[in-house]
Amino acid sequence: MSISAGYVVPHPPIAVHEVGRGDEEAIRATLDSYARVAEDIAELRPDTIIITSPHTVMYSDYFHISPGISAHGDLGAFRAPQVTFDVDYDTELVSEIVHRCYLQDFPAGSEGERERTLDHGVMVPLYFINKVYRDFKLVRIGLSGLSLEAHKNLGQIIKASVDSLGRHAVFVASGDLSHCQKEDGPYGYKPEGPVYDRQLMDTLRAGDLDALIGFDGELLERAEECGHRSFCIMAGAFEKEKVDINTLSHEATFGVGYGFAIIKPMDKSREEDRAADPYVALARYTVERYVREKRIPGVPSDTPEELKTKRAGVFVSIHENGLLRGCIGTISASYDSIAEEIISNAVSASTKDPRFRPIEEEELSYLDISVDVLGDTEDIASERELDPKRYGVIVTNGMRRGLLLPNLDGVDTVTEQISIAKQKAGIRPSESVSLQRFEVVRHE
């Protein structure tokens, strides 16, 4: 067992209904993302939740790890004293982390606690988690004034400690983003605020946790963020692991950035698929994630650069036991990358092809998936310029347009190819059409 998931979450007290008293609806995306995070944790059923918070005890040159066997807190400071929390600490894991820090002469431990009560950087995430899951113990860790690299190093020690004890744990990196997003916000506006938030969310979408350590210190200071060091600790906990990162939402309704992401170690079978063909691996990963979780994943961290930088039309085809089960695609690029094109079309092919019912979870192990990356289309004057094994065809009559991919089983002649393409477009056999052809690179 190890750290099976990480979560980037904000901690706005107004998100708690008893605090917001209806005003929380203004940040509905944040509420929905918190519900998804809580549900994900409930599905994993961890023994221990590790939370790093910028609002617990913090020193300039030392990381504080909360001691004791339990802690209590409430949201009285935010006009909701009736919202209370009681947690039991994972004392064995705390001791293991502290011991490893001592052996490595690393500046962290359980000394110097100034406030035993839980802080809102911990309580806000727990408010949502507790709604669906309570069977866990807690480890609460503060940030420090030390370097981003030192925060990553602490994450590495935390992971080693979890592994040595065989804990099943998840990591909640609590932290708001920039606090200076709007003129009418509580902290005013600085241009560095939106810049930081975009850079942070783009880094997560790219799946590059290591890049968090390289953020410019002056940007962090001027953006008035509070969570970046929390995210760096989590990055250390996943160092050297291939991960999938799913960014959920970002908003700054009240002038403070609230961002969400779910980080999970990559499934070993997906690593094998990726080694065989990254195009097919991405399509299969998307289908499986969407069918099981009804969530559209982000572009995984290990996606090759050519999929992240090139653009093209893409078709995703799904067969089950040799029979077509779904096929959806785009003639030309609709997204900024082939990877995003594959993700979108894999979701549509598996659940939105009008010819078939949506694929169900029990079918996943029986699917064959192929990905066709389309080349440029070219106008042709006659059928003589077609070859059904080499070229796909596009037929057009007015607003009606039909496409058929090349090299399909059972399509051996140009006449058959054009006839099927016309049927798909709702064009009668007797109607004339203009023709285009294209080549594809097929991944299967």
PDB file of all heavy atoms in Angstrom, residues 223-257:
ATOM      1  N   ALA A 223       1.909  37.372  -6.189  1.00  0.00           N
ATOM      2  CA  ALA A 223       0.574  36.801  -6.418  1.00  0.00           C
ATOM      3  C   ALA A 223      -0.170  36.564  -5.115  1.00  0.00           C
ATOM      4  O   ALA A 223      -1.374  36.317  -5.134  1.00  0.00           O
ATOM      5  CB  ALA A 223       0.688  35.498  -7.198  1.00  0.00           C
ATOM      6  N   GLU A 224       0.540  36.615  -3.996  1.00  0.00           N
ATOM      7  CA  GLU A 224      -0.072  36.411  -2.676  1.00  0.00           C
ATOM      8  C   GLU A 224      -0.811  35.074  -2.601  1.00  0.00           C
ATOM      9  O   GLU A 224      -1.930  34.990  -2.108  1.00  0.00           O
ATOM     10  CB  GLU A 224      -0.999  37.581  -2.336  1.00  0.00           C
ATOM     11  CG  GLU A 224      -0.296  38.930  -2.272  1.00  0.00           C
ATOM     12  CD  GLU A 224      -1.206  40.057  -1.812  1.00  0.00           C
ATOM     13  OE1 GLU A 224      -1.924  39.860  -0.815  1.00  0.00           O
ATOM     14  OE2 GLU A 224      -1.198  41.117  -2.451  1.00  0.00           O
ATOM     15  N   GLU A 225      -0.151  34.042  -3.119  1.00  0.00           N
ATOM     16  CA  GLU A 225      -0.737  32.703  -3.016  1.00  0.00           C
ATOM     17  C   GLU A 225      -0.469  32.137  -1.626  1.00  0.00           C
ATOM     18  O   GLU A 225       0.430  32.599  -0.920  1.00  0.00           O
ATOM     19  CB  GLU A 225      -0.157  31.776  -4.081  1.00  0.00           C
ATOM     20  CG  GLU A 225       1.360  31.671  -4.113  1.00  0.00           C
ATOM     21  CD  GLU A 225       1.949  30.863  -2.986  1.00  0.00           C
ATOM     22  OE1 GLU A 225       1.299  29.884  -2.556  1.00  0.00           O
ATOM     23  OE2 GLU A 225       3.049  31.199  -2.540  1.00  0.00           O
ATOM     24  N   CYS A 226      -1.240  31.123  -1.253  1.00  0.00           N
ATOM     25  CA  CYS A 226      -0.965  30.501   0.051  1.00  0.00           C
ATOM     26  C   CYS A 226      -0.765  28.998  -0.051  1.00  0.00           C
ATOM     27  O   CYS A 226      -0.412  28.366   0.935  1.00  0.00           O
ATOM     28  CB  CYS A 226      -2.067  30.827   1.064  1.00  0.00           C
ATOM     29  SG  CYS A 226      -3.573  29.842   0.903  1.00  0.00           S
ATOM     30  N   GLY A 227      -0.989  28.416  -1.246  1.00  0.00           N
ATOM     31  CA  GLY A 227      -0.970  26.962  -1.318  1.00  0.00           C
ATOM     32  C   GLY A 227       0.181  26.328  -2.051  1.00  0.00           C
ATOM     33  O   GLY A 227       0.323  25.104  -2.040  1.00  0.00           O
ATOM     34  N   HIS A 228       1.047  27.138  -2.682  1.00  0.00           N
ATOM     35  CA  HIS A 228       2.028  26.546  -3.583  1.00  0.00           C
ATOM     36  C   HIS A 228       2.969  25.579  -2.864  1.00  0.00           C
ATOM     37  O   HIS A 228       3.307  24.521  -3.400  1.00  0.00           O
ATOM     38  CB  HIS A 228       2.836  27.632  -4.293  1.00  0.00           C
ATOM     39  CG  HIS A 228       3.589  27.122  -5.471  1.00  0.00           C
ATOM     40  ND1 HIS A 228       3.016  26.989  -6.714  1.00  0.00           N
ATOM     41  CD2 HIS A 228       4.868  26.683  -5.596  1.00  0.00           C
ATOM     42  CE1 HIS A 228       3.909  26.487  -7.556  1.00  0.00           C
ATOM     43  NE2 HIS A 228       5.046  26.300  -6.911  1.00  0.00           N
ATOM     44  N   ARG A 229       3.391  25.935  -1.664  1.00  0.00           N
ATOM     45  CA  ARG A 229       4.306  25.054  -0.929  1.00  0.00           C
ATOM     46  C   ARG A 229       3.607  23.764  -0.509  1.00  0.00           C
ATOM     47  O   ARG A 229       4.240  22.700  -0.425  1.00  0.00           O
ATOM     48  CB  ARG A 229       4.874  25.802   0.279  1.00  0.00           C
ATOM     49  CG  ARG A 229       5.906  26.851  -0.132  1.00  0.00           C
ATOM     50  CD  ARG A 229       6.121  27.925   0.907  1.00  0.00           C
ATOM     51  NE  ARG A 229       7.128  28.891   0.451  1.00  0.00           N
ATOM     52  CZ  ARG A 229       6.884  29.863  -0.423  1.00  0.00           C
ATOM     53  NH1 ARG A 229       5.663  30.015  -0.923  1.00  0.00           N
ATOM     54  NH2 ARG A 229       7.844  30.695  -0.794  1.00  0.00           N
ATOM     55  N   SER A 230       2.324  23.848  -0.265  1.00  0.00           N
ATOM     56  CA  SER A 230       1.548  22.640   0.005  1.00  0.00           C
ATOM     57  C   SER A 230       1.570  21.707  -1.204  1.00  0.00           C
ATOM     58  O   SER A 230       1.762  20.490  -1.082  1.00  0.00           O
ATOM     59  CB  SER A 230       0.106  23.040   0.345  1.00  0.00           C
ATOM     60  OG  SER A 230      -0.617  21.990   0.916  1.00  0.00           O
ATOM     61  N   PHE A 231       1.422  22.298  -2.396  1.00  0.00           N
ATOM     62  CA  PHE A 231       1.435  21.498  -3.620  1.00  0.00           C
ATOM     63  C   PHE A 231       2.823  20.901  -3.864  1.00  0.00           C
ATOM     64  O   PHE A 231       2.945  19.790  -4.396  1.00  0.00           O
ATOM     65  CB  PHE A 231       1.023  22.355  -4.821  1.00  0.00           C
ATOM     66  CG  PHE A 231      -0.227  23.170  -4.621  1.00  0.00           C
ATOM     67  CD1 PHE A 231      -0.382  24.385  -5.264  1.00  0.00           C
ATOM     68  CD2 PHE A 231      -1.240  22.729  -3.769  1.00  0.00           C
ATOM     69  CE1 PHE A 231      -1.524  25.149  -5.079  1.00  0.00           C
ATOM     70  CE2 PHE A 231      -2.396  23.481  -3.577  1.00  0.00           C
ATOM     71  CZ  PHE A 231      -2.528  24.703  -4.228  1.00  0.00           C
ATOM     72  N   CYS A 232       3.876  21.629  -3.459  1.00  0.00           N
ATOM     73  CA  CYS A 232       5.237  21.121  -3.648  1.00  0.00           C
ATOM     74  C   CYS A 232       5.518  19.916  -2.750  1.00  0.00           C
ATOM     75  O   CYS A 232       6.234  18.990  -3.151  1.00  0.00           O
ATOM     76  CB  CYS A 232       6.252  22.230  -3.381  1.00  0.00           C
ATOM     77  SG  CYS A 232       6.296  23.501  -4.668  1.00  0.00           S
ATOM     78  N   ILE A 233       4.986  19.922  -1.536  1.00  0.00           N
ATOM     79  CA  ILE A 233       5.136  18.745  -0.674  1.00  0.00           C
ATOM     80  C   ILE A 233       4.493  17.542  -1.346  1.00  0.00           C
ATOM     81  O   ILE A 233       5.070  16.447  -1.403  1.00  0.00           O
ATOM     82  CB  ILE A 233       4.516  18.984   0.715  1.00  0.00           C
ATOM     83  CG1 ILE A 233       5.229  20.136   1.433  1.00  0.00           C
ATOM     84  CG2 ILE A 233       4.614  17.704   1.568  1.00  0.00           C
ATOM     85  CD1 ILE A 233       4.598  20.516   2.763  1.00  0.00           C
ATOM     86  N   MET A 234       3.288  17.735  -1.875  1.00  0.00           N
ATOM     87  CA  MET A 234       2.613  16.642  -2.562  1.00  0.00           C
ATOM     88  C   MET A 234       3.407  16.180  -3.779  1.00  0.00           C
ATOM     89  O   MET A 234       3.480  14.979  -4.067  1.00  0.00           O
ATOM     90  CB  MET A 234       1.212  17.068  -2.981  1.00  0.00           C
ATOM     91  CG  MET A 234       0.400  15.931  -3.597  1.00  0.00           C
ATOM     92  SD  MET A 234      -1.194  16.491  -4.203  1.00  0.00           S
ATOM     93  CE  MET A 234      -0.663  17.609  -5.496  1.00  0.00           C
ATOM     94  N   ALA A 235       4.027  17.128  -4.511  1.00  0.00           N
ATOM     95  CA  ALA A 235       4.843  16.738  -5.664  1.00  0.00           C
ATOM     96  C   ALA A 235       5.961  15.798  -5.241  1.00  0.00           C
ATOM     97  O   ALA A 235       6.273  14.825  -5.947  1.00  0.00           O
ATOM     98  CB  ALA A 235       5.421  17.982  -6.342  1.00  0.00           C
ATOM     99  N   GLY A 236       6.568  16.064  -4.099  1.00  0.00           N
ATOM    100  CA  GLY A 236       7.608  15.172  -3.601  1.00  0.00           C
ATOM    101  C   GLY A 236       7.086  13.800  -3.270  1.00  0.00           C
ATOM    102  O   GLY A 236       7.777  12.785  -3.454  1.00  0.00           O
ATOM    103  N   ALA A 237       5.831  13.737  -2.789  1.00  0.00           N
ATOM    104  CA  ALA A 237       5.240  12.444  -2.444  1.00  0.00           C
ATOM    105  C   ALA A 237       4.985  11.576  -3.669  1.00  0.00           C
ATOM    106  O   ALA A 237       4.824  10.355  -3.542  1.00  0.00           O
ATOM    107  CB  ALA A 237       3.930  12.658  -1.675  1.00  0.00           C
ATOM    108  N   PHE A 238       4.945  12.195  -4.849  1.00  0.00           N
ATOM    109  CA  PHE A 238       4.730  11.428  -6.081  1.00  0.00           C
ATOM    110  C   PHE A 238       5.955  11.444  -6.996  1.00  0.00           C
ATOM    111  O   PHE A 238       5.860  11.038  -8.154  1.00  0.00           O
ATOM    112  CB  PHE A 238       3.524  11.981  -6.848  1.00  0.00           C
ATOM    113  CG  PHE A 238       2.203  11.638  -6.221  1.00  0.00           C
ATOM    114  CD1 PHE A 238       1.519  12.579  -5.474  1.00  0.00           C
ATOM    115  CD2 PHE A 238       1.662  10.379  -6.361  1.00  0.00           C
ATOM    116  CE1 PHE A 238       0.310  12.277  -4.885  1.00  0.00           C
ATOM    117  CE2 PHE A 238       0.452  10.055  -5.776  1.00  0.00           C
ATOM    118  CZ  PHE A 238      -0.237  11.008  -5.037  1.00  0.00           C
ATOM    119  N   GLU A 239       7.100  11.893  -6.483  1.00  0.00           N
ATOM    120  CA  GLU A 239       8.284  11.971  -7.325  1.00  0.00           C
ATOM    121  C   GLU A 239       8.664  10.582  -7.856  1.00  0.00           C
ATOM    122  O   GLU A 239       8.546   9.574  -7.155  1.00  0.00           O
ATOM    123  CB  GLU A 239       9.468  12.568  -6.563  1.00  0.00           C
ATOM    124  CG  GLU A 239      10.598  12.920  -7.498  1.00  0.00           C
ATOM    125  CD  GLU A 239      11.855  13.352  -6.763  1.00  0.00           C
ATOM    126  OE1 GLU A 239      12.158  12.781  -5.712  1.00  0.00           O
ATOM    127  OE2 GLU A 239      12.543  14.233  -7.261  1.00  0.00           O
ATOM    128  N   LYS A 240       9.114  10.544  -9.087  1.00  0.00           N
ATOM    129  CA  LYS A 240       9.555   9.333  -9.781  1.00  0.00           C
ATOM    130  C   LYS A 240       8.403   8.398 -10.125  1.00  0.00           C
ATOM    131  O   LYS A 240       8.630   7.292 -10.607  1.00  0.00           O
ATOM    132  CB  LYS A 240      10.621   8.580  -8.970  1.00  0.00           C
ATOM    133  CG  LYS A 240      11.901   9.378  -8.777  1.00  0.00           C
ATOM    134  CD  LYS A 240      12.942   8.580  -8.016  1.00  0.00           C
ATOM    135  CE  LYS A 240      14.224   9.400  -7.831  1.00  0.00           C
ATOM    136  NZ  LYS A 240      15.246   8.661  -7.070  1.00  0.00           N
ATOM    137  N   GLU A 241       7.176   8.825  -9.872  1.00  0.00           N
ATOM    138  CA  GLU A 241       6.017   8.035 -10.281  1.00  0.00           C
ATOM    139  C   GLU A 241       5.405   8.658 -11.522  1.00  0.00           C
ATOM    140  O   GLU A 241       5.328   9.883 -11.636  1.00  0.00           O
ATOM    141  CB  GLU A 241       4.975   7.989  -9.167  1.00  0.00           C
ATOM    142  CG  GLU A 241       5.352   7.111  -8.000  1.00  0.00           C
ATOM    143  CD  GLU A 241       4.125   6.574  -7.294  1.00  0.00           C
ATOM    144  OE1 GLU A 241       3.304   5.912  -7.966  1.00  0.00           O
ATOM    145  OE2 GLU A 241       3.994   6.819  -6.089  1.00  0.00           O
ATOM    146  N   LYS A 242       4.978   7.825 -12.450  1.00  0.00           N
ATOM    147  CA  LYS A 242       4.173   8.312 -13.556  1.00  0.00           C
ATOM    148  C   LYS A 242       2.759   8.512 -13.037  1.00  0.00           C
ATOM    149  O   LYS A 242       2.185   7.612 -12.416  1.00  0.00           O
ATOM    150  CB  LYS A 242       4.204   7.317 -14.710  1.00  0.00           C
ATOM    151  CG  LYS A 242       5.585   7.181 -15.344  1.00  0.00           C
ATOM    152  CD  LYS A 242       5.569   6.200 -16.495  1.00  0.00           C
ATOM    153  CE  LYS A 242       6.955   6.089 -17.132  1.00  0.00           C
ATOM    154  NZ  LYS A 242       6.981   5.112 -18.247  1.00  0.00           N
ATOM    155  N   VAL A 243       2.205   9.702 -13.265  1.00  0.00           N
ATOM    156  CA  VAL A 243       0.907  10.019 -12.699  1.00  0.00           C
ATOM    157  C   VAL A 243      -0.052  10.492 -13.781  1.00  0.00           C
ATOM    158  O   VAL A 243       0.352  10.986 -14.832  1.00  0.00           O
ATOM    159  CB  VAL A 243       1.014  11.099 -11.600  1.00  0.00           C
ATOM    160  CG1 VAL A 243       1.822  10.593 -10.421  1.00  0.00           C
ATOM    161  CG2 VAL A 243       1.605  12.391 -12.152  1.00  0.00           C
ATOM    162  N   ASP A 244      -1.327  10.336 -13.504  1.00  0.00           N
ATOM    163  CA  ASP A 244      -2.390  10.948 -14.283  1.00  0.00           C
ATOM    164  C   ASP A 244      -2.957  12.088 -13.451  1.00  0.00           C
ATOM    165  O   ASP A 244      -3.241  11.917 -12.256  1.00  0.00           O
ATOM    166  CB  ASP A 244      -3.502   9.942 -14.593  1.00  0.00           C
ATOM    167  CG  ASP A 244      -3.057   8.879 -15.568  1.00  0.00           C
ATOM    168  OD1 ASP A 244      -2.340   9.224 -16.518  1.00  0.00           O
ATOM    169  OD2 ASP A 244      -3.429   7.705 -15.382  1.00  0.00           O
ATOM    170  N   ILE A 245      -3.123  13.250 -14.052  1.00  0.00           N
ATOM    171  CA  ILE A 245      -3.660  14.409 -13.345  1.00  0.00           C
ATOM    172  C   ILE A 245      -4.933  14.865 -14.050  1.00  0.00           C
ATOM    173  O   ILE A 245      -4.940  15.114 -15.250  1.00  0.00           O
ATOM    174  CB  ILE A 245      -2.649  15.572 -13.284  1.00  0.00           C
ATOM    175  CG1 ILE A 245      -1.373  15.113 -12.558  1.00  0.00           C
ATOM    176  CG2 ILE A 245      -3.268  16.781 -12.584  1.00  0.00           C
ATOM    177  CD1 ILE A 245      -0.325  16.199 -12.418  1.00  0.00           C
ATOM    178  N   ASN A 246      -5.994  14.957 -13.281  1.00  0.00           N
ATOM    179  CA  ASN A 246      -7.278  15.401 -13.798  1.00  0.00           C
ATOM    180  C   ASN A 246      -7.626  16.731 -13.130  1.00  0.00           C
ATOM    181  O   ASN A 246      -7.927  16.769 -11.933  1.00  0.00           O
ATOM    182  CB  ASN A 246      -8.357  14.350 -13.486  1.00  0.00           C
ATOM    183  CG  ASN A 246      -9.689  14.678 -14.131  1.00  0.00           C
ATOM    184  OD1 ASN A 246      -9.770  15.536 -15.006  1.00  0.00           O
ATOM    185  ND2 ASN A 246     -10.736  14.005 -13.691  1.00  0.00           N
ATOM    186  N   THR A 247      -7.505  17.824 -13.871  1.00  0.00           N
ATOM    187  CA  THR A 247      -7.888  19.121 -13.313  1.00  0.00           C
ATOM    188  C   THR A 247      -9.409  19.246 -13.386  1.00  0.00           C
ATOM    189  O   THR A 247     -10.016  18.952 -14.417  1.00  0.00           O
ATOM    190  CB  THR A 247      -7.230  20.279 -14.074  1.00  0.00           C
ATOM    191  OG1 THR A 247      -7.503  20.154 -15.467  1.00  0.00           O
ATOM    192  CG2 THR A 247      -5.719  20.266 -13.861  1.00  0.00           C
ATOM    193  N   LEU A 248     -10.009  19.695 -12.288  1.00  0.00           N
ATOM    194  CA  LEU A 248     -11.467  19.732 -12.195  1.00  0.00           C
ATOM    195  C   LEU A 248     -12.041  21.105 -12.492  1.00  0.00           C
ATOM    196  O   LEU A 248     -12.897  21.258 -13.346  1.00  0.00           O
ATOM    197  CB  LEU A 248     -11.917  19.274 -10.808  1.00  0.00           C
ATOM    198  CG  LEU A 248     -11.446  17.879 -10.356  1.00  0.00           C
ATOM    199  CD1 LEU A 248     -12.037  17.549  -8.998  1.00  0.00           C
ATOM    200  CD2 LEU A 248     -11.829  16.828 -11.378  1.00  0.00           C
ATOM    201  N   SER A 249     -11.587  22.128 -11.764  1.00  0.00           N
ATOM    202  CA  SER A 249     -12.154  23.456 -11.965  1.00  0.00           C
ATOM    203  C   SER A 249     -11.212  24.515 -11.430  1.00  0.00           C
ATOM    204  O   SER A 249     -10.298  24.230 -10.647  1.00  0.00           O
ATOM    205  CB  SER A 249     -13.515  23.580 -11.261  1.00  0.00           C
ATOM    206  OG  SER A 249     -13.370  23.516  -9.850  1.00  0.00           O
ATOM    207  N   HIS A 250     -11.452  25.738 -11.874  1.00  0.00           N
ATOM    208  CA  HIS A 250     -10.773  26.906 -11.325  1.00  0.00           C
ATOM    209  C   HIS A 250     -11.724  28.078 -11.417  1.00  0.00           C
ATOM    210  O   HIS A 250     -12.400  28.270 -12.429  1.00  0.00           O
ATOM    211  CB  HIS A 250      -9.496  27.239 -12.105  1.00  0.00           C
ATOM    212  CG  HIS A 250      -8.886  28.552 -11.694  1.00  0.00           C
ATOM    213  ND1 HIS A 250      -9.252  29.753 -12.279  1.00  0.00           N
ATOM    214  CD2 HIS A 250      -7.994  28.852 -10.733  1.00  0.00           C
ATOM    215  CE1 HIS A 250      -8.581  30.738 -11.706  1.00  0.00           C
ATOM    216  NE2 HIS A 250      -7.809  30.215 -10.774  1.00  0.00           N
ATOM    217  N   GLU A 251     -11.828  28.838 -10.350  1.00  0.00           N
ATOM    218  CA  GLU A 251     -12.607  30.072 -10.388  1.00  0.00           C
ATOM    219  C   GLU A 251     -12.045  31.056  -9.372  1.00  0.00           C
ATOM    220  O   GLU A 251     -11.335  30.676  -8.434  1.00  0.00           O
ATOM    221  CB  GLU A 251     -14.091  29.817 -10.134  1.00  0.00           C
ATOM    222  CG  GLU A 251     -14.425  29.091  -8.850  1.00  0.00           C
ATOM    223  CD  GLU A 251     -15.912  28.740  -8.770  1.00  0.00           C
ATOM    224  OE1 GLU A 251     -16.713  29.286  -9.547  1.00  0.00           O
ATOM    225  OE2 GLU A 251     -16.275  27.920  -7.909  1.00  0.00           O
ATOM    226  N   ALA A 252     -12.353  32.323  -9.601  1.00  0.00           N
ATOM    227  CA  ALA A 252     -11.874  33.380  -8.714  1.00  0.00           C
ATOM    228  C   ALA A 252     -12.990  34.395  -8.485  1.00  0.00           C
ATOM    229  O   ALA A 252     -12.793  35.600  -8.565  1.00  0.00           O
ATOM    230  CB  ALA A 252     -10.641  34.050  -9.291  1.00  0.00           C
ATOM    231  N   THR A 253     -14.172  33.904  -8.201  1.00  0.00           N
ATOM    232  CA  THR A 253     -15.369  34.728  -8.065  1.00  0.00           C
ATOM    233  C   THR A 253     -15.191  35.841  -7.040  1.00  0.00           C
ATOM    234  O   THR A 253     -15.645  36.969  -7.247  1.00  0.00           O
ATOM    235  CB  THR A 253     -16.570  33.850  -7.674  1.00  0.00           C
ATOM    236  OG1 THR A 253     -16.694  32.794  -8.633  1.00  0.00           O
ATOM    237  CG2 THR A 253     -17.852  34.654  -7.644  1.00  0.00           C
ATOM    238  N   PHE A 254     -14.551  35.524  -5.932  1.00  0.00           N
ATOM    239  CA  PHE A 254     -14.386  36.493  -4.850  1.00  0.00           C
ATOM    240  C   PHE A 254     -12.998  37.131  -4.832  1.00  0.00           C
ATOM    241  O   PHE A 254     -12.601  37.725  -3.835  1.00  0.00           O
ATOM    242  CB  PHE A 254     -14.670  35.822  -3.505  1.00  0.00           C
ATOM    243  CG  PHE A 254     -16.054  35.240  -3.399  1.00  0.00           C
ATOM    244  CD1 PHE A 254     -16.230  33.896  -3.109  1.00  0.00           C
ATOM    245  CD2 PHE A 254     -17.171  36.027  -3.604  1.00  0.00           C
ATOM    246  CE1 PHE A 254     -17.497  33.348  -3.013  1.00  0.00           C
ATOM    247  CE2 PHE A 254     -18.449  35.488  -3.519  1.00  0.00           C
ATOM    248  CZ  PHE A 254     -18.625  34.145  -3.224  1.00  0.00           C
ATOM    249  N   GLY A 255     -12.249  36.975  -5.930  1.00  0.00           N
ATOM    250  CA  GLY A 255     -10.931  37.573  -6.007  1.00  0.00           C
ATOM    251  C   GLY A 255      -9.806  36.685  -5.527  1.00  0.00           C
ATOM    252  O   GLY A 255      -8.635  37.066  -5.561  1.00  0.00           O
ATOM    253  N   VAL A 256     -10.139  35.477  -5.062  1.00  0.00           N
ATOM    254  CA  VAL A 256      -9.155  34.484  -4.615  1.00  0.00           C
ATOM    255  C   VAL A 256      -9.285  33.259  -5.510  1.00  0.00           C
ATOM    256  O   VAL A 256     -10.399  32.800  -5.783  1.00  0.00           O
ATOM    257  CB  VAL A 256      -9.375  34.089  -3.140  1.00  0.00           C
ATOM    258  CG1 VAL A 256      -8.359  33.027  -2.712  1.00  0.00           C
ATOM    259  CG2 VAL A 256      -9.282  35.313  -2.238  1.00  0.00           C
ATOM    260  N   GLY A 257      -8.169  32.716  -5.965  1.00  0.00           N
ATOM    261  CA  GLY A 257      -8.208  31.574  -6.874  1.00  0.00           C
ATOM    262  C   GLY A 257      -8.471  30.268  -6.144  1.00  0.00           C
ATOM    263  O   GLY A 257      -7.803  29.940  -5.162  1.00  0.00           O
TER     264      GLY A 257
END
